[in-house]
Amino acid sequence: MVRVEAIIAKLRIPFFSIKRYDTYQISYSYIFLMPSSIVGSIGNSLALLGECKGEDCINLARKIVKKAREYFPRKITFSKSPVILKRVRGMLEDKEMPKSLAEFVSSSDALVREYVVSEERNILILTDKPSQIIEAVKIMDRLGDSESLLSVIDVKESKIGECEKEDGVNVMIKNEIVSQETRGDQITVDGFDELGKKSVFYIPVEVKGHSIKPSPIKTTKVMCAGDAVFPEGDNW
């Protein structure tokens, strides 16, 4: 049996955009970090480390990452503070700034993109290659589109064990494993899992206006790694 280890990473992402799959010209962003995006960023790091090339990198990342989920410690509260940017890239080809408003408009992309103003975010990664993942996470430089830059505050291996004290799951989990009896004021979001498969996620937060606060999901048989609390087993 393959032993799975937990990696806890704390990231500072002041400004990010992870495009929702159901939007087009006005590209709205997820306000949470999608598992597929985390795996994609790790795949990019593996390429920078010289461990793979091209599409082999995303396949390698999907192989060694068993779970990659954002989690929400009790002490974390943040706000939904989106901004909209319209990209201007035509000037790069001419290597000069537009001389008039008309030239500025003609050099603009059609795509208008939403960005989320953020601060510290937390991710839990379960893997059977902890050393490889730690090195990859250390050099992660973006999560989302090319402008979604990040810095890694801390990354470390954390022991998985029974929780001494917990009041519910604080990681994103698949919606189908949440029983009707344990549902509260948390929200659901359509997205993509670690393998790039469309999934519905149950997010352990409450959204009130622009304020987002942790709201752990009550469930049975949980495990802990650092300050992350997640269900036992691998179907979440």
Side-chain angles (χ1 to χ4, degrees):
M1 182 177 180
V2 177
R3 182 180 177 84
V4 174
E5 306 289 348
I7 306 299
I8 298 292
K10 298 186 184 299
L11 313 175
R12 181 169 289 115
I13 316 176
F15 192 68
F16 75 89
S17 180
I18 299 175
K19 180 180 177 293
R20 290 187 58 93
Y21 73 93
D22 52 356
T23 61
Y24 178 47
Q25 285 191 327
I26 300 179
S27 299
Y28 292 101
S29 174
Y30 290 105
I31 61 176
F32 307 110
L33 307 181
M34 286 293 109
S36 57
S37 297
I38 298 172
V39 172
S41 185
I42 291 173
N44 180 67
S45 293
L46 292 171
L48 294 175
L49 290 170
E51 298 192 23
C52 53
K53 293 182 179 180
E55 291 187 7
D56 290 342
C57 294
I58 188 63
N59 293 329
L60 176 59
R62 287 172 174 169
K63 180 180 179 180
I64 64 178
V65 174
K66 308 307 178 186
K67 289 287 185 290
R69 304 291 171 88
E70 183 172 12
Y71 72 95
F72 308 87
R74 273 292 192 184
K75 62 181 180 179
I76 296 295
T77 299
F78 58 99
S79 299
K80 181 183 179 183
S81 304
V83 296
I84 302 293
L85 290 186
K86 184 175 177 65
R87 290 188 170 111
V88 180
R89 289 182 174 165
M91 68 182 70
L92 297 178
E93 299 175 2
D94 299 331
K95 298 181 180 180
E96 62 179 6
M97 294 293 290
K99 295 182 175 61
S100 65
L101 178 60
E103 287 186 10
F104 179 86
V105 172
S106 66
S107 65
S108 300
D109 288 355
L111 178 65
V112 177
R113 190 152 188 151
E114 179 186 46
Y115 286 80
V116 176
V117 179
S118 179
E119 293 185 6
E120 183 177 317
R121 309 299 281 259
N122 302 270
I123 57 174
L124 166 71
I125 301 170
L126 300 185
T127 177
D128 57 356
K129 303 289 184 182
S131 298
Q132 194 173 15
I133 289 295
I134 286 176
E135 293 306 309
V137 171
K138 282 181 179 178
I139 64 170
M140 283 172 60
D141 58 359
R142 65 195 65 210
L143 208 164
D145 74 338
S146 57
E147 283 76 28
S148 301
L149 303 178
L150 67 84
S151 58
V152 180
I153 300 171
D154 187 36
V155 56
K156 60 186 178 183
E157 189 172 343
S158 184
K159 182 179 179 181
I160 299 175
E162 295 183 359
C163 305
E164 294 182 3
K165 183 180 180 181
E166 56 80 23
D167 57 1
V169 168
N170 64 4
V171 304
M172 295 171 57
I173 60 177
K174 297 283 184 73
N175 182 60
E176 61 263 26
I177 75 165
V178 182
S179 66
Q180 194 63 40
E181 294 76 19
T182 59
R183 291 179 183 271
D185 295 327
Q186 299 92 350
I187 63 174
T188 57
V189 175
D190 291 348
F192 295 88
D193 66 11
E194 291 82 358
L195 297 176
K197 296 180 180 178
K198 186 178 177 182
S199 303
V200 180
F201 293 99
Y202 201 71
I203 315 294
V205 299
E206 295 179 4
V207 179
K208 296 182 178 179
H210 287 278
S211 179
I212 300 173
K213 298 182 178 181
S215 179
I217 305 165
K218 298 294 183 181
T219 186
T220 59
K221 296 183 179 179
V222 298
M223 303 298 287
C224 284
D227 53 356
V229 184
F230 54 95
E232 189 178 46
D234 58 5
N235 66 337
W236 48 278

